[in-house]
């Protein structure tokens, strides 16, 4: 950037808090929220809006005057002239007599506390003037209201990321200083600072001096600062399983440093959370979850359903739960309201309207805007109120203290609900599909690198390096994608600079994960130019797959033999790579293969490709010669066609939609089909065409000999969507940002599976659309982890999606453009269906996310016909796709390497790694079958082992035997020591 551009980025588009409120107001007005006033905003305000201004305002508070409980009515009386005596009566009984000087006077008079709502006539006389008003005195709720101060962590949006980081670090200092300065205030009025999420604290601890770090640690120990367990305000639906765990890992580290147990988490702005979040929280020891979404925009019915309706959110296994609670207006109360007696009235009216049954409640107080500084005024309000009134009582608190107090009194009364709170904002990841692909790949690669280090070269595992890479993965999935004007003024340096920082998280995560994987292999190999290659399996089940060797490494060597000197099938590809079949690579094991100059060995059962039909004797697929779609898919065990073409669609059909009218969806043009690989081991059909929204579209369908699945690769050369012709005009609420130049791209997957049920893999869970979705869930689109399956009891199809994390079920329902505030317009139900669409690209938002993307983006899938529904088999298949066999030059395993075997193939290893203290192995097992299992753990060389149950802290919690119970859908973390090593 030029100096003027940099200055513009630094200053010209920075959004002060008052300006941000104007933007919010503009977005709300665009969507009709200010006119329609949805229930989430109107609650508690109806009465006030209907009443005409009056000199008398009843206050819903109970005071104590001389040992007598009283209820105040606040009077504001203007008097002009000389001093005069004022007489005030309530229901004709004198309650106040005082002399007023000239001017306006505000004071309270008192009546008996109301047991039921009643009308009270207030009248006064002064200097020959009189007035009267009838006021409604409501009973006072004897409720304890906890106030949770925090700053909403937006890593960007209103300011450049570097500036935001500085603000949040400074907020820690300010929070400590406020707590220190109010330490002598009465209990409840002393300032407490909640660390909403922990990336700011992590930055503080990594960059500040030891005395400064100790000051933060001391403040936590004193209770001045509360730690909440999430690292960032995450789009949890984007997370891989280990990524979801990493979201809470740093909290355990910081808690240990501070000598406290972190048992609470906050999330702000983000509506909806994937089901496995409960399982991940349990691994971190978190019991309390304060969820505070955006209070109006693109949140579906989440706020309508869950504001101030606390419940126990139960994990997929049913064995873990967290106390889940959304406060009124989410995290934004301090953006739109002021703490005063009027607010106290409104808050109680709100509790009345929803028939709130508890005597403990809480609110969030995030200051005046996002990334706001701590607000000292709340201490003065609470101090003054609590001194004057007995009820309601206010207490400034940490999340943990507020929720634990509530649990002690009401935890046993709360309902328990089990299911997915399907999130909404993950759709924005489709505005940067390439970077989303990179981040997903990096997360899988990090898991592979960690596991590979345990089975090959434990000395290569560097905890700090892996943590740094995971930090970048997490910050890519953090909800702040870009600037507030990212769509309306997309080329503004303020916008482009924020996007470059955001994009770099994905780029760095990808590069770091590759370096870490390469580093493990470098520590393992013993020869650099050997013709003997080792193939490594990082999964806990044996695998047979085709692997690829680069042209450079395999030049002139087309023949491959296994370690038993038996020839294995191989084929030189058109890319120059050598493909060969690596058979029966043992679980967490290595198989060796030798390359030589002899001709390639052909498989006994060849894969063929003829007239658009790929066939290997196990799976058969047909590509239509006119449009390039897959019109037939069958297997040896399922003879009939698994593709549903009855509605004119086919599998892997390209769809492009401009705007939201689905009747105008378009597809690709005429195709040019070529055979790239003709077998006998690998066969690939290449389908090239023009396509709306693209420079061109290239789809590939590949089938290997012996395998029971087909692989799809769809590469779009994306055209840039038109930009705002009047940059900056209208802002996020303008017509362009809200409605114009909107587009989306899908690939169709209609399957012919009679009465088939769809199951979707999400991190640490499997869910069924509609059936396993809690009220308030998003149904227009759903995040998907590694696979989506359509099956009945006899047969079905698993689709592994490597790069694209979003699906639409049944029909194109992701048509919500710009701001969407009305709950009733969102999809209400997902009807039974066997059709879904992979939603790969969109630019539907009017703010935050990207206005356009362009260039080459690849979306990969794999389709596996199978017998009846088997979730463990689906997971093994999909993990195998995203964590392929790893090839290296021959090396030597470390004597201290992990030698674990797990006897249950449907108990899946999620990851293994060296413990942070270096003295044990951390092994995560997942009950992927949906059935309780007992897994036997053994060391392949018969070394005795000690096994403990553990968690994210990696400490031994409970001594176990080598027979480990793994409940259905539960994640079990083990700490294993191999003796005599």
């Amino acid at each position: 950037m030029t100096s003027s551009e940099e200055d513009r980025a630094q200053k010209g588009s920075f959004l002060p808090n008052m300006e941000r409120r104007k933007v919010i107001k503009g977005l709300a007005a665009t969507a009709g929220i200010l006119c329609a006033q949805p229930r989430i905003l109107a609650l508690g305000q109806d009465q006030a809006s209907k009443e005409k201004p009056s000199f008398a305002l009843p206050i819903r508070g109970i005071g104590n005057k001389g040992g007598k409980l009283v209820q105040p009515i606040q009077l504001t009386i203007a008097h002009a002239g000389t001093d005069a005596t004022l007489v005030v009566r309530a229901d004709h009984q004198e309650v106040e007599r005082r002399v007023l000087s000239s001017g306006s006077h505000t004071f309270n008079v008192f009546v008996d506390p109301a047991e039921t709502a009643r009308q009270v006539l207030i009248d006064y006389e002064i200097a020959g003037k009189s007035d009267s008003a009838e006021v409604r005195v409501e009973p006072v709720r004897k409720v304890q209201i906890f106030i949770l101060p925090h700053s909403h962590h937006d890593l960007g949006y209103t300011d450049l990321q570097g500036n935001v980081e500085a603000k949040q670090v400074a907020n820690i200092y300010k929070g400590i200083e406020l707590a220190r300065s109010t330490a002598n205030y009465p209990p409840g009025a002393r300032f407490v600072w909640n660390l909403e999420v922990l990336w700011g604290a992590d930055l503080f601890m990594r960059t500040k001096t030891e005395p400064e770090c100790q000051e933060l640690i001391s403040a936590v120990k004193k209770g001045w600062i509360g730690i909440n367990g999430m690292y960032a305000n995450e789009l949890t639906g984007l997370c891989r399983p280990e990524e979801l765990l990493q979201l809470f890992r740093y909290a355990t580290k910081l808690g240990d440093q501070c000598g406290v147990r972190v048992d609470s988490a906050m999330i702000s702005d983000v509506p909806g959370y994937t089901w496995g979040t409960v399982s991940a929280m349990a691994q971190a020891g978190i019991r309390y979850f304060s969820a505070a979404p955006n209070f109006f925009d693109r949140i579906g019915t989440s706020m309508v359903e869950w504001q101030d309706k606390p419940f126990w959110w139960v994990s997929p296994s049913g064995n873990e739960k967290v106390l889940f609670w959304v406060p009124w207006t989410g995290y934004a109360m301090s953006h739109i309201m002021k703490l005063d007696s009027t607010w106290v009235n409104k808050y109680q009216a709100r509790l009345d309207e929803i028939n709130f049954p508890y005597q403990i409640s809480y609110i969030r107080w995030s200051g005046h805007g996002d990334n706001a500084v701590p607000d000292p005024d709340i201490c003065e309000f609470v101090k003054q109120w609590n001194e004057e009134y007995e009820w309601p009582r206010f207490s400034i608190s940490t999340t943990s203290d507020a929720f634990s107090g509530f649990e002690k009194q009401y935890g046993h009364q709360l309902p328990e609900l089990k299911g997915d709170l399907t999130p909404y904002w993950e759709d924005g990841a489709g505005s940067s599909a390439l970077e989303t692909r990179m981040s997903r790949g990096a997360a899988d690669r990090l898991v592979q690198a960690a596991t590979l280090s345990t089975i090959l070269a434990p000395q290569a595992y560097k905890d700090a390096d892996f943590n740094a890479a995971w930090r970048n993965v997490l910050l890519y999935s953090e909800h702040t994608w870009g600037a507030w004007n990212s769509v309306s003024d997309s080329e503004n340096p303020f916008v482009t600079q924020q996007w470059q920082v955001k994009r770099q998280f994905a780029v760095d995560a990808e590069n770091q994960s590759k370096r870490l994987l390469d580093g493990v292999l470098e520590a393992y190999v013993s020869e650099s130019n050997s013709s003997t290659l080792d193939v490594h399996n990082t999964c806990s089940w044996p695998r047979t797959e085709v692997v690829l060797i680069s042209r450079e490494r395999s030049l002139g060597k087309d023949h491959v033999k296994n370690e038993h000197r038996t020839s294995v099938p191989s084929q030189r590809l058109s890319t120059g790579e050598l493909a060969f079949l690596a058979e029966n690579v043992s679980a967490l094991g290595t198989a060796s293969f030798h390359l030589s100059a002899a001709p390639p060995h052909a498989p006994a059962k060849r894969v063929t490709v003829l007239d658009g039909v790929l066939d290997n004797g196990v799976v058969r697929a047909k590509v239509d010669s006119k449009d390039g779609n897959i019109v037939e898919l069958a297997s040896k065990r399922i003879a009939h066609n698994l593709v549903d073409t009855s509605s004119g669609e086919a599998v892997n059909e390209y769809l492009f939609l401009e705007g939201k009218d689905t009747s105008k969806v378009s597809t690709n043009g005429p195709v040019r089909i070529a055979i790239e690989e003709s077998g006998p081991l690998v066969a690939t059909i290449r389908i090239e065409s023009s396509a709306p929204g693209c420079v061109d579209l290239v789809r590939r369908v590949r089938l290997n000999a012996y395998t029971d699945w087909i692989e799809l690769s769809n590469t779009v050369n994306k055209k840039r969507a038109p930009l705002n012709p009047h940059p900056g005009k209208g802002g996020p609420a303008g017509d362009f940002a809200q409605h114009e130049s909107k587009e989306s791209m899908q690939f169709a997957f209609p399957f012919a599976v009679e009465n088939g049920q769809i199951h979707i893999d999400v991190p640490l869970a499997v869910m069924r659309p509609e059936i396993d979705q809690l009220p308030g869930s998003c149904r227009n689109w759903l995040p998907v982890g590694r696979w989506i399956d359509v099956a009945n009891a006899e047969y079905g199809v698993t689709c592994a999606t490597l790069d694209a994390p979003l699906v639409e079920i049944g029909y194109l329902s992701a048509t919500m453009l710009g701001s969407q505030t009305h709950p009733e317009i969102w999809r209400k139900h997902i009807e039974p269906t066997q059709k879904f669409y992979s939603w790969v690209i969109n630019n539907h938002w009017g703010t935050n996310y990207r206005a356009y993307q362009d260039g080459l983006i690849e979306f990969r899938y794999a389709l596996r016909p199978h017998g009846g529904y088997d979730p463990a088999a689906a997971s093994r298949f999909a993990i195998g796709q995203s964590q392929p066999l790893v090839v290296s030059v021959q090396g030597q395993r470390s004597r201290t390497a992990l030698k674990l075997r797990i006897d249950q193939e449907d108990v899946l290893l999620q990851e293994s790694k060296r413990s942070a203290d270096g003295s044990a192995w951390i092994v995560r097992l997942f009950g992927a079958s949906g059935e309780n299992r007992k897994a036997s753990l053994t060391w392949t060389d018969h070394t005795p082992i000690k096994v403990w149950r553990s968690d994210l802290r990696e400490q031994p919690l409970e001594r176990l035997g080598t027979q480990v119970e793994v409940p259905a859908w539960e994640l079990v973390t083990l700490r294993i020591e191999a003796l005599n090593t």
Side-chain angles (χ1 to χ4, degrees):
M1 281 192 300
T2 66
S3 59
S4 60
E5 287 175 325
E6 192 163 329
D7 183 68
R8 186 181 175 203
Q10 289 287 341
K11 298 179 181 178
S13 295
F14 166 72
L15 196 63
N17 290 331
M18 289 305 296
E19 291 300 315
R20 184 181 185 280
R21 293 184 187 185
K22 292 179 183 177
V23 169
I24 291 174
K25 188 175 181 180
L27 289 171
T30 298
I33 193 170
L34 297 183
C35 299
Q37 199 176 28
R39 197 65 174 161
I40 60 170
L41 289 183
L43 285 171
Q45 301 181 37
D46 295 348
Q47 177 182 334
S49 63
K50 294 174 183 176
E51 292 174 351
K52 66 179 182 179
S54 169
F55 69 87
L57 173 69
I59 295 175
R60 292 187 70 172
I62 292 179
N64 190 316
K65 295 295 182 182
K68 179 183 179 182
L69 297 181
V70 293
Q71 190 165 344
I73 298 174
Q74 184 183 90
L75 305 185
T76 301
I77 296 175
H79 169 60
T82 58
D83 293 357
T85 299
L86 168 75
V87 177
V88 181
R89 289 175 290 271
D91 287 340
H92 310 295
Q93 298 293 318
E94 183 175 319
V95 292
E96 181 73 15
R97 180 181 291 265
R98 65 170 61 190
V99 175
L100 297 186
S101 59
S102 180
S104 179
H105 302 265
T106 298
F107 56 93
N108 292 340
V109 298
F110 300 94
V111 298
D112 292 335
E115 296 183 2
T116 59
R118 60 188 176 95
Q119 299 296 120
V120 175
L121 177 66
I122 300 294
D123 67 279
Y124 72 85
E125 294 178 359
I126 184 171
K129 174 188 172 185
S130 65
D131 198 357
S132 65
E134 191 172 67
V135 297
R136 182 178 175 86
V137 178
E138 301 277 356
V140 175
R141 280 182 168 259
K142 295 181 178 180
V143 60
Q144 172 81 37
I145 301 170
F146 289 102
I147 302 173
L148 276 52
H150 66 103
S151 177
H152 175 49
H153 286 52
D154 260 349
L155 190 52
Y157 197 71
T158 58
D159 203 350
L160 301 178
Q161 288 96 332
N163 296 339
V164 169
E165 289 178 335
K167 288 179 182 180
Q168 291 298 354
V169 167
N171 281 345
I172 293 174
Y173 289 116
K174 293 173 183 175
I176 294 172
E177 180 52 40
L178 272 176
R180 181 181 293 113
S181 65
T182 59
N184 293 325
Y185 276 30
R190 299 164 186 167
F191 189 79
V192 174
W193 186 236
N194 283 281
L195 299 175
E196 177 194 72
V197 292
L198 296 178
W199 60 254
D202 182 21
L203 180 64
F204 188 103
M205 296 295 287
R206 286 187 287 113
T207 60
K208 296 304 175 182
T209 65
E210 180 62 22
E212 289 171 312
C213 292
Q214 287 302 318
E215 185 177 13
L216 171 56
I217 290 171
S218 175
V220 172
K221 290 180 176 180
K222 292 175 181 176
W224 293 358
I225 287 184
I227 301 175
N228 289 283
M230 277 194 174
Y231 191 78
N233 287 300
E234 202 81 350
L235 300 179
T236 56
L238 299 182
C239 292
R240 294 308 216 193
E242 185 63 25
E243 181 182 354
L244 198 59
L245 294 169
Q246 290 291 325
L247 182 59
F248 302 98
R249 181 199 60 81
Y250 182 72
T252 66
K253 177 182 177 181
L254 184 60
D256 286 348
Q257 287 178 289
C258 297
V260 299
R261 180 179 178 84
V262 179
D263 61 3
S264 64
M266 280 182 163
I267 192 168
S268 302
D269 214 7
V270 180
Y273 325 98
T274 195
W275 194 359
T277 303
V278 182
S279 304
M281 286 182 170
Q283 290 289 314
I286 290 172
R287 188 169 178 82
Y288 308 125
F289 187 17
S290 169
N294 186 288
F295 73 99
F296 72 92
D297 198 12
R298 296 183 73 90
I299 62 171
T301 60
S302 58
M303 291 293 275
V304 171
E305 293 288 350
W306 297 120
Q307 280 184 113
D308 282 324
K309 297 176 184 177
F311 66 91
W312 289 110
W313 189 14
V314 180
S315 70
S317 73
N319 297 326
E320 302 131 337
K321 61 184 181 181
V322 295
L323 174 51
F324 179 91
W325 193 348
V326 175
W328 186 32
T329 69
Y331 80 97
M333 179 173 286
S334 58
H335 300 188
I336 56 177
M337 299 183 190
K338 179 183 178 182
L339 286 181
D340 57 17
S341 57
T342 300
W343 175 86
V344 175
N345 287 2
K346 289 181 179 180
Y347 189 75
Q348 291 182 78
R350 152 74 187 173
L351 297 180
D352 292 345
E353 288 190 63
I354 63 171
N355 295 314
F356 188 72
Y358 312 111
Q359 292 180 333
I360 296 176
S361 186
Y362 90 102
I363 63 169
R364 295 279 207 94
W365 198 259
S366 63
H368 305 297
D370 294 337
N371 297 307
V373 300
D375 182 2
D377 292 344
I378 60 174
C379 298
E380 306 310 318
F381 167 77
V382 172
K383 181 175 180 290
Q384 180 178 344
W385 179 275
N386 285 352
E387 287 173 348
E388 192 166 350
Y389 301 108
E390 295 196 359
W391 296 106
R393 299 293 293 179
F394 291 93
S395 183
I396 301 170
S397 175
T398 63
T399 311
S400 177
D401 286 347
F403 276 56
S404 62
F406 182 82
E407 183 194 3
K408 287 174 185 175
Q409 191 161 344
Y410 299 109
H412 64 287
Q413 301 178 18
L414 300 180
E416 294 190 357
L417 300 177
K418 188 177 181 182
D420 194 59
L421 283 165
T422 312
Y424 287 82
W425 285 9
E426 277 72 351
D427 64 323
S431 73
S432 54
L434 175 62
E435 290 75 18
T436 298
R437 178 186 193 272
M438 294 164 64
S439 184
R440 282 167 70 86
D444 271 317
R445 198 175 297 111
L446 286 170
V447 170
Q448 271 201 288
T451 301
L452 197 63
S453 73
T454 65
I455 63 177
L456 297 184
Q459 72 277 12
Y461 184 85
K462 307 299 182 187
D463 202 54
D465 293 341
F466 276 84
N467 290 342
W470 278 118
R471 185 183 305 121
N472 283 315
V473 172
L474 290 172
L475 292 179
Y476 179 76
S477 298
E478 194 268 347
H479 78 301
T480 318
W481 232 249
W484 64 275
N485 52 342
S486 62
V487 179
S488 58
D489 198 7
S490 61
E491 306 312 291
N492 186 319
F494 180 76
V495 175
T496 59
Q497 187 170 332
Q498 286 200 47
W499 167 240
Q500 285 306 312
V501 172
K502 181 69 172 183
R503 182 178 190 274
Q504 200 63 39
F505 292 135
V507 172
D508 287 348
E510 181 176 62
N511 291 338
Q512 288 167 317
S513 67
K514 288 178 178 178
R515 285 197 300 270
L516 290 167
L517 185 62
D518 290 345
V520 173
L521 297 178
E522 289 169 4
Y524 166 76
V525 300
S526 56
E527 299 181 42
S528 59
N529 297 311
S530 174
S531 292
T532 300
L533 301 178
D534 287 345
V535 177
H536 312 288
N537 178 9
T538 56
C539 295
S540 56
W541 58 93
R543 294 161 66 183
T544 295
E545 293 170 17
V546 171
V547 298
L548 302 181
I549 310 301
S550 69
R551 181 178 184 274
E552 294 74 21
R553 181 179 290 182
S554 63
L555 188 64
K557 300 174 182 179
D558 288 357
H559 193 89
V560 183
K561 289 185 177 182
N562 63 21
E563 54 200 13
H564 305 295
R565 300 181 181 276
T566 302
S567 296
V568 300
S570 62
Q571 177 183 331
R572 182 67 61 179
L573 303 183
S574 61
T575 59
E577 296 168 294
L578 178 68
F580 72 85
L581 187 68
E583 294 183 275
N584 297 317
V585 184
S586 61
L588 299 174
T590 296
S592 296
F593 297 86
H594 184 76
L595 276 58
S596 68
H601 177 71
K605 182 64 178 178
R606 297 167 175 249
V607 61
T608 62
V609 53
L610 181 66
D611 297 330
V613 176
L614 295 158
D615 193 344
N616 67 358
V618 182
V619 175
R620 180 180 184 274
K622 182 178 181 180
V623 173
D624 188 88
S625 60
K626 294 181 180 179
D627 54 31
N629 303 330
I630 297 173
V631 292
E632 293 181 20
L633 177 64
S635 73
K636 187 176 182 179
R637 71 179 77 182
I638 309 163
H640 74 266
N641 186 12
L642 291 169
V643 179
D644 181 4
T645 59
S646 62
S647 61
E649 292 181 319
V651 164
N652 208 36
E653 180 176 355
Y654 173 86
L655 301 174
F656 184 75
L657 178 62
E658 294 183 280
K660 64 179 183 179
D661 185 352
T662 57
S663 69
K664 296 180 180 179
V665 69
S666 56
T667 188
N668 58 275
V671 300
R672 298 176 294 283
I673 297 179
I675 298 174
E676 279 193 340
E677 313 296 344
S678 57
L681 179 61
V682 178
T684 305
I685 295 176
R686 183 180 190 272
I687 308 112
E688 185 176 354
S689 66
S690 62
C694 300
V695 176
D696 54 41
L697 167 68
V698 177
R699 290 173 288 173
R700 289 180 173 86
V701 183
R702 171 174 152 173
L703 179 63
N704 301 328
Y706 300 107
T707 58
D708 61 355
W709 67 86
I710 64 170
E711 298 172 16
L712 311 179
S713 166
N714 302 330
T715 302
V716 300
N717 190 355
K718 181 72 179 63
K719 289 181 180 177
R720 176 179 293 194
L723 307 185
N724 190 350
H726 307 289
K729 184 178 180 181
D735 286 340
F736 179 86
Q738 289 292 308
H739 308 295
E740 296 175 17
S741 194
K742 301 300 185 188
E743 59 183 19
S744 65
M745 189 180 293
Q746 290 90 354
F747 291 99
F749 291 91
F751 290 113
V753 179
E754 186 176 3
N755 297 319
Q757 172 65 55
I758 289 180
H759 291 81
I760 297 178
D761 171 64
V762 294
L764 303 177
V766 172
M767 58 87 72
R768 296 163 295 176
E770 188 67 26
I771 298 170
D772 293 321
Q773 291 184 279
L774 292 179
S777 289
C778 183
R779 291 172 170 80
N780 292 70
W781 53 84
L782 290 79
V784 56
R786 291 195 173 100
W787 56 266
I788 179 169
D789 186 90
V790 184
N792 56 35
E794 287 76 39
Y795 64 91
V797 184
T798 300
C799 173
T801 172
L802 280 74
D803 308 305
L806 299 165
V807 292
E808 301 162 85
I809 306 297
Y811 61 91
L812 299 182
S813 54
T815 55
M816 312 294 278
L817 309 184
S819 290
Q820 300 289 342
T821 63
H822 296 283
E824 65 273 12
I825 67 174
W826 290 80
R827 186 173 179 177
K828 299 296 189 297
H829 299 287
I830 296 177
E831 297 74 20
T833 182
Q834 294 76 45
K835 180 193 301 185
F836 63 88
Y837 301 85
S838 178
W839 187 28
V840 297
I841 283 176
N842 77 85
N843 64 348
H844 285 178
W845 278 61
T847 184
N848 188 35
Y849 293 106
R850 299 203 71 204
Y852 63 84
Q853 53 196 305
D854 52 10
L856 296 172
I857 312 170
E858 182 186 24
F859 302 100
R860 296 165 295 163
Y861 308 90
L863 303 178
R864 177 180 174 267
H866 58 77
Y869 172 63
D870 183 343
S875 290
R876 288 193 298 270
F877 166 62
I879 292 171
Q881 297 297 313
S882 59
Q883 298 180 14
L885 295 173
V886 178
V887 182
S888 75
V889 176
Q890 188 176 40
Q892 182 66 44
R893 278 195 178 203
S894 168
R895 184 181 63 84
T896 61
L898 181 85
K899 303 177 180 69
L900 180 67
R901 289 294 180 270
I902 305 164
D903 73 337
Q904 294 283 346
E905 283 197 6
D906 52 6
V907 172
L908 305 187
L909 176 76
Q910 289 288 330
E911 184 189 44
S912 64
K913 62 182 286 290
R914 196 72 169 168
S915 62
D917 63 16
S919 61
W921 306 107
I922 300 301
V923 172
R924 305 196 208 284
L925 303 179
F926 183 64
S929 68
E931 303 289 339
N932 295 335
R933 292 286 187 261
K934 180 178 286 187
S936 177
L937 310 181
T938 57
W939 229 242
T940 57
D941 62 3
H942 307 295
T943 297
I945 58 175
K946 286 184 178 180
V947 181
W948 286 270
R949 183 180 298 276
S950 188
D951 57 16
L952 282 173
R953 295 181 63 245
E954 302 185 0
Q955 299 301 306
L957 300 178
E958 175 191 1
R959 180 70 185 271
L960 305 173
T962 56
Q963 299 285 321
V964 176
E965 299 283 350
V966 182
W969 308 128
E970 187 163 318
L971 183 72
V972 176
T973 297
L974 303 176
R975 179 184 170 97
I976 302 176
E977 290 182 14
L979 306 181
N980 305 320
T981 60

